[in-house]
Amino acid sequence: MSAPDFDLGMAQKALESQPFSRLLQARITEFGDGVATLELDIRPELHQQNGFVHGGVLAYAADNALTFAAGASLGPSVLTSGFSIQYVRPAQGTTLSARAEVVNAGRRQAVVRVDLSVRDEAGAQKVCAVAQGTVLTV
């Protein structure tokens, strides 16, 4: 299920080539076999008015993580064709993690599920959102 010519190093370079990902200081911590984990440190400028991580930041993390997970199966030339996200609880903590896993992959399309969680200073993790999307080869 893994795309042999697309490894963690290439995934990191692809992420670093995205200006918005650099702005958010996102990083890939896991990649391969239809799985990808994207993380970013939570800082005040990523909050909304009530002090929670902005939903747009969560949606970014879900979108990018699911695309990288699909790329681990289909290869690097992929784009998200659509996704939905459900916010489970307000996101508060020190680190946001989006772990994506391919549910089903064909030759040109993959369906991917993402669990988004926040980690606090003690290391405890809580799910804050779940997402599912479809990724296509280009």
Side-chain angles (χ1 to χ4, degrees):
M1 190 159 157
S2 182
D5 59 341
F6 192 36
D7 61 15
L8 178 60
M10 288 180 67
Q12 289 172 331
K13 285 180 184 178
L15 184 70
E16 291 166 5
S17 74
Q18 300 172 358
F20 191 63
S21 292
R22 287 196 312 269
L23 177 69
L24 294 179
Q25 300 172 15
R27 59 193 175 273
I28 293 180
T29 59
E30 179 183 23
F31 180 83
D33 293 326
V35 173
T37 300
L38 184 88
E39 290 188 350
L40 56 92
D41 296 325
I42 297 171
R43 37 190 216 281
E45 56 270 27
L46 303 181
H47 290 166
Q48 43 85 298
Q49 73 278 8
N50 296 313
F52 306 124
V53 177
H54 193 283
V57 175
L58 297 175
Y60 153 81
D63 178 24
N64 235 10
L66 71 88
T67 303
F68 274 99
S73 291
L74 302 175
S77 297
V78 295
L79 289 173
T80 303
S81 65
F83 77 97
S84 64
I85 187 166
Q86 300 299 314
Y87 300 103
V88 177
R89 70 172 43 91
Q92 288 184 293
T94 60
T95 306
L96 173 65
S97 177
R99 186 176 192 281
E101 187 168 356
V102 172
V103 174
N104 185 285
R107 290 186 316 117
R108 297 188 34 86
Q109 173 179 297
V111 175
V112 184
R113 175 189 162 89
V114 186
D115 290 323
L116 294 106
S117 59
V118 285
R119 189 168 44 249
D120 65 19
E121 291 176 1
Q125 280 194 243
K126 290 184 181 176
V127 172
C128 58
V130 294
Q132 180 173 302
T134 303
V135 177
L136 303 174
T137 60
V138 292

